[in-house]
Structure formats: C-alpha cells, structure tokens
C-alpha cells in the first residue's frame, strides 16, 4: 500500500502540530512553506483541526505486559566483557538509521550487529535507537547499560497517522518506555536525553567513543561532545572507535550457549529452505529465469521462518556457478547442468546460516560433474578430519588447498607439481578457487570481520567457534587451460561447523553432502 503523500522527514515528528497560520509570513517563510510542500502533491489527507482532534480520540492505549527477551540472560555478561576490554570508556552503540531505497521507500531496517549483540534486540528493532555501555560507578569491571530510543508517539501527534516512515498507523507501534525496560532488563530513556547522558562526566577519567559507520548523526554528536570535553579528535578519536569495532568483533569469535542455539535454528531453517528449492527444481527448469525461481523459493522460506535471507542468495546454474557472487540470478536452469545454491536464513535473532549445495538439475550427476564434485568433497572432508581445538584457523585453508592441488595435478592441469603449486611462489591451483575455505559465521555472514589477524587467521581454534568449510572448484566456460568436458562446471560445498572439545560438529549435516546422498535426496523430494 502506498502513502498518499511523499514524507521526507528524517526524524519522527512527535511535536503537536502547530496552527497552520501563514498570514503575515515573510518572503523567506513563504519560500520555506513552498519548499516544504514540494513532493506533497498527492496528499488528500484532511488537515482541519476538527479532523485532527477526531483522529486523536477514542483509542485504547494500553499495551500488554512484556516478557524479558531470551537473549537478556546473556547480554549482561557480554557487556561486562566489553567494559573489561575497553576500560574507562563510555561506548555508544547505535542501532543505525533507515536507508532510503528510492524516493519515499526505505530498505527493511536491520540493526547493526554490535548493537544486536550487546542489546539482545533482533528483527527490525529499532531504527535511530542507541545502546550506551559504560563501566559501573561501583565496580569498573561491570557494565552499566542504558537504551535510548523514541518511544511510542501519542495519538495526538502528527506522526501517529501522518508519517508514513515512522507513524503507528503506517509501520506499527514502537514500544513504550516501560515495555522496552521489561524486555531488555536495563535502564531505558527517551532518545532526547541521549546527548546529556553522553556528555556527563566525560573527560580525563572517562572517554567516550562510538561504533563507527553506523549512524552519522550519533557519530557527529559524540565528536562534538569529545571536543567540548577536551578529548582528542582526528586520528586518536578514530583509533578509539576502531578499537571498539575490533573488540566487538573479537568478542564474537567464540559463541555463547544462546548463540549456538540460534545458529542451530538458523541452519535448520536454511536446510528446510533448501528442501523447498529441491522440490521446486522442475518449476525452475520450466521457467526462462529459473535461477530467480530458486531465489524466490528460498526467500519465501527465509521470510516465513526467519527475518529474511542473511545475504543475497546465489542461484547459479551452469557456468554462472563460476561467478563467485552471482546474485543477479536471471539465468535459465537447464537439464543436465549443475546448479550451485549458496543461501542462508537469518532468523529473528539475526543469526544466519551460510550453506552451499551444488545440485544436478536432472537429479543425477554426469561422470565429469561427479569427478569435480568428489574432488571438492574430498577437500572438505580433509578439513573436517583435522579441524579441532589447537589447530590454527589458517590451516583449514591450507588443508583444503593440499587436496585441491593434488587433484588438479592428477588431472594434468597444473604447470608443475602440486608441491610446487602449494609453495608461495606457485599457487597455480588458486586459479580455480580464488576464495578462502572458511570464515567465521554468526550475526554476520562474514562474522567478526574487524578482528585482528592474530585473533582470526593466525588464532587457534577454540570450542564455541562457528565457521564455514567451503572449498570449491570453478572451471569457466572460456577457460582454455582445462579440457572441454570440464568447462562450465562450478562446484562449491559449504557447511557450517561448531568447534567442540575434540573436533568440529557439522551443524548442516542434515543437508546431504556426498554425490550419492544428494541424488537420493533429490529423488526422495521429487517422489
Ligand atoms: N555466501 C557467501 C559466502 O559463502 O561466503
Ligand atoms: Mn561462506
Ligand atoms: Mn556461502
């Protein structure tokens, strides 16, 4: 449904409407009124005071008692760890702002990951809100947190019925202050109190920093308060902000029990989405843009089961599989070819899975397709066999590359031996797999991306880490260094794993992996 006017307000309007009286206006005011009404030509909404009083009256404003969110059993410990890692600092974690898609339509709102992690809020809560985490006055090892947001607007506000971006009649109601406090278990305040709270006691004993690149308005506010209170700007301020981002990323490298449970749920929902896709494969073949049929089928499952897709679905048939981030998905799905599907459901808590299966469109792999598939599977299995606590993250990739290089050597594709290829000056095998084998996974598909190298690539695996194992081989149609029968075959097999005490658990094992299992799976779903 469309609004009947273009709303261009950046912030919710909570003030009562001033009397519409422009009599005696100056030329500047006339010009301002004219500018404000631009883009408003579709409006047929009544504006009389009588109507405004009528629409503001007769509403029951009670809201049900709210329950604490399940995540709030874990968020206090997360925030305590944060203040221990970034001591003496008031940390500002904005949720982020609505982003315009076009004209008066916004993208669906998805809060910033650090905000979600430390607040426990998921889904689309709450644009323009801010979580502030700081050391407690009584015990600097413990965190105090305050949530600032714009609570539900009054029925007598312009926003209530006339603001298509924020208004209750248009996008649903925001929580009340009481309700938000009940759900989050922390102090909650109106967003208008944010500036005073941020400025209080800031100086030599207490720094102030903000998660960068989430909310430009809040960043500007923090910069101004820092300047007013004698804290350095420029590179030093940027360094503090980058340190906050890095710390928040590194803290998520090891998941707590709630996160592991959420990851299991995200993977399970994703596998159900893949089942829907397999059932729809014949419909995809029948459509001229079968890749879109696959994308749409998975998206329907992701919206029904969760918040949506955790990243743009890759539905890549035939040679498109060799384009690593093929998300245009406008190709045909042809009998006899493979289709690579890389997709993940982001559930309401915002945790996402990241799974890839490469399926034979007609239900069975050809000999050449199976040969490539089994090489990739061999690389994945080799990683599964060695991944355990104490191993370095970078060794996951090295293990996979050992298998891939050996296969390519056996097929005569390398200009030297596998050993030479694996040496730093060789690396010929990377022509056919330019991406990495593993990345951390959680609230972000490429989770913990700001972690330092020593905490990520060079770090040892620890129980509670969740990452992908996703080797692949991609022989492009126009690759003259591979035999014609391999050209146009791209295969990736991607699973999501949890590091246990003595190895890894494959969270996505319910999605068949071997060529035989995949064929049997397809046959059973086509029944
Ligand atoms: N789906 C993106 C990736 O596998 O990293
Ligand atoms: Mn991945
Ligand atoms: Mn993926």
């Amino acid at each position: 449904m469309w609004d009947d006017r273009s709303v261009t307000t950046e912030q919710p309007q909570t003030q009562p409407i001033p009397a519409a009286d422009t009599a005696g206006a100056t030329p500047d005011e006339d010009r301002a009124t004219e500018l404000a009404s631009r883009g408003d030509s579709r409006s047929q909404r009544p504006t009389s005071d009588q109507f405004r009083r009528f629409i503001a009256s007769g509403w029951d404003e009670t809201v049900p008692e709210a329950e604490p969110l399940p995540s709030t059993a874990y968020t206090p410990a997360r925030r305590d760890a944060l203040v221990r890692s970034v001591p003496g600092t008031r940390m500002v974690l904005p949720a982020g702002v609505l982003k315009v898609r076009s004209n008066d339509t916004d993208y669906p709102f998805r809060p910033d990951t650090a905000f979600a992690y430390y607040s426990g809020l998921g889904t689309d809560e709450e644009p323009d809100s801010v979580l502030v985490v700081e050391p407690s006055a009584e015990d600097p090892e413990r965190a105090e947190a305050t949530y600032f947001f714009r609570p539900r607007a009054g029925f007598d506000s312009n926003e209530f019925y006339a603001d298509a971006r924020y208004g209750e009649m248009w996008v649903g109601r925001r929580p009340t202050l009481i309700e938000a406090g009940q759900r989050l278990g922390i102090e909650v305040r109106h967003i208008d109190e944010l500036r005073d709270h941020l400025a209080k006691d800031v100086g030599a004993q207490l720094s102030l920093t903000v998660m960068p690149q989430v909310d430009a308005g809040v960043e500007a506010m923090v910069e101004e308060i820092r300047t007013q209170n004698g804290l350095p700007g420029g590179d030093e301020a940027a360094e503090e902000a980058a340190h906050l981002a890095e710390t928040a990323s590194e803290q998520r490298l090891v998941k707590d029990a709630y996160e592991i449970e959420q990851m299991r749920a995200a993977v399970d929902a994703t596998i159900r989405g893949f089942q829907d896709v397999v059932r729809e494969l014949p419909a995809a073949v029948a459509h001229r843009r079968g890749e879109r049929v696959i994308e749409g089928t998975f998206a329907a499952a992701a919206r029904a089961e969760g918040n949506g897709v955790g990243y743009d679905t890759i539905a890549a048939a035939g040679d498109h599989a060799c384009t690593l981030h093929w998300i245009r998905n406008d190709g045909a799905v042809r009998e006899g070819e493979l289709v690579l599907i890389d997709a993940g459901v982001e559930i309401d808590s915002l945790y996402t899975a990241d799974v890839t299966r490469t399926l034979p469109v007609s239900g069975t792999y050809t000999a050449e397709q199976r040969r490539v598939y089994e090489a990739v599977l061999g690389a994945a299995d080799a990683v599964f066999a060695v991944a355990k606590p104490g191993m370095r993250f970078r060794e996951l990739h090295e293990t996979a590359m050992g298998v891939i290089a050996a296969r390519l050597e056996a097929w005569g594709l390398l200009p030297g031996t596998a050993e030479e290829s694996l040496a730093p000056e060789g690396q010929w095998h990377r022509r056919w797999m330019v991406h990495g084998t593993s990345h951390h996974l959680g609230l972000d598909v490429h989770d913990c991306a700001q972690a330092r190298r020593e905490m990520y690539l060079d770090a040892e695996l620890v129980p509670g880490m969740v990452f992908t194992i996703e080797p692949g081989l991609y022989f492009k149609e126009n690759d003259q260094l591979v035999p014609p029968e391999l050209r146009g075959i791209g295969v990736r097999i991607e699973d999501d794993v949890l590091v246990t005490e003595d190895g890894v658990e494959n969270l996505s094992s319910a999605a068949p992996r071997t060529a035989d299992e995949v064929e049997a799976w397809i046959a059973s779903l086509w029944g």
Side-chain angles (χ1 to χ4, degrees), residues 318-332:
D319 188 55
H320 286 165
C322 303
T323 301
L324 299 175
H325 284 173
W326 177 256
I327 57 171
R328 192 180 301 146
N329 300 341
D330 62 354

Side-chain angles (χ1 to χ4, degrees), residues 56-133:
S57 65
W59 305 104
D60 177 359
E61 65 182 324
T62 53
V63 295
E65 255 328 82
E67 293 290 320
L69 296 172
S71 54
T72 58
Y74 296 85
T75 46
R78 295 178 193 169
R79 294 188 294 255
D80 287 351
L82 183 64
V83 296
R84 286 197 297 272
S85 300
V86 189
T89 307
R90 176 173 289 147
M91 290 167 279
V92 184
L93 303 167
V97 298
L98 289 169
K99 291 184 180 61
V100 173
R101 180 178 180 280
S102 175
N103 185 27
D104 59 352
T105 55
D106 294 317
Y107 287 105
F109 179 71
R110 197 275 193 188
D112 175 64
T113 285
F115 169 86
Y117 181 71
Y118 293 108
S119 70
L121 283 170
T123 60
D124 56 354
E125 297 180 276
E126 186 61 56
D128 307 318
S129 68
V130 176
L131 179 74
V132 180
V133 179

Side-chain angles (χ1 to χ4, degrees), residues 139-449:
D139 179 356
E141 299 275 293
R142 303 293 298 273
E144 247 168 38
T146 316
Y147 178 57
F148 293 86
F149 77 113
R150 192 171 296 279
R152 181 186 201 179
F155 296 113
D156 58 351
S157 67
N158 184 20
E159 178 197 309
F160 167 61
Y161 72 95
D163 187 333
R165 200 175 199 199
Y166 291 99
E168 184 164 333
M169 274 201 169
W170 290 93
V171 295
R173 79 169 174 83
R174 293 192 299 275
T176 65
L177 284 169
I178 292 171
E179 204 179 6
Q182 288 167 337
R183 296 177 70 217
L184 294 179
I186 56 175
E187 197 181 333
V188 296
R189 305 252 196 97
H190 196 289
I191 191 74
D192 290 349
E193 296 176 38
L194 177 66
R195 175 183 279 274
D196 287 348
H197 180 94
L198 294 189
K200 191 167 178 291
D201 302 329
V202 164
Q205 303 303 314
L206 182 67
S207 190
L208 175 70
T209 192
V210 58
M211 185 62 70
Q213 292 176 354
V214 180
D215 184 328
V218 173
E219 275 191 75
M221 184 187 286
V222 166
E223 191 184 328
E224 201 177 292
I225 294 169
R226 281 180 66 98
T227 307
Q228 285 163 354
N229 290 274
L231 292 172
D235 288 352
E236 279 182 69
E239 176 52 38
E240 275 188 61
H243 179 58
L244 171 60
E246 184 180 279
T247 305
S249 249
E250 291 176 0
Q251 203 183 323
R252 298 199 312 274
L253 285 164
V254 178
K255 271 56 181 172
D256 62 33
Y258 171 79
E259 295 185 280
I260 292 169
E261 177 198 304
Q262 296 303 302
M263 285 307 304
R264 290 186 192 284
V267 170
D268 291 349
T270 297
I271 293 173
R272 288 195 291 278
F274 269 83
Q275 285 169 346
D276 291 350
V277 166
V278 171
R279 284 192 201 94
E280 288 301 310
L281 270 183
V285 171
H287 196 281
R288 74 190 157 83
R289 296 208 293 186
E291 292 175 344
R292 290 279 172 94
V293 173
I294 291 172
E295 177 188 329
T297 301
F298 192 84
R303 279 301 276 173
E305 297 268 340
N307 193 47
V309 290
Y311 54 92
D312 289 321
T313 295
I314 296 166
D319 188 55
H320 286 165
C322 303
T323 301
L324 299 175
H325 284 173
W326 177 256
I327 57 171
R328 192 180 301 146
N329 300 341
D330 62 354
V333 176
R334 287 171 286 264
E335 296 283 2
E337 290 187 341
L338 297 178
V339 60
L340 181 157
I341 302 149
D342 182 343
V345 173
E346 176 184 87
I347 57 173
D348 289 350
S349 57
L350 305 180
Y351 288 83
T352 187
D354 179 11
V355 172
T356 306
R357 290 294 182 264
T358 307
L359 310 173
V361 173
S362 304
T364 52
Y365 295 95
T366 66
E368 297 308 338
Q369 290 165 351
R370 188 177 269 261
R371 176 149 75 98
V372 179
Y373 192 94
E374 288 182 342
V376 173
L377 187 68
D381 284 348
V383 181
F384 272 98
V386 296
K388 61 169 190 284
M391 180 187 194
R392 289 194 192 279
F393 192 85
R394 60 165 59 260
E395 294 174 82
L396 301 167
H397 182 62
E398 287 162 12
T399 302
M401 290 306 89
V403 174
I404 293 289
R407 290 298 179 105
L408 293 173
E409 179 188 35
W411 296 345
L413 298 186
L414 299 179
T417 65
E419 198 183 336
E420 287 165 347
S421 190
L422 291 164
E425 59 279 12
Q427 299 292 310
W428 305 302
H429 57 281
R430 295 299 300 276
R431 174 188 174 102
W432 294 288
M433 181 186 151
V434 295
H435 62 78
T437 300
S438 295
H439 57 80
H440 282 269
L441 182 66
L443 281 166
D444 283 330
V445 60
H446 298 148
D447 209 26
C448 315

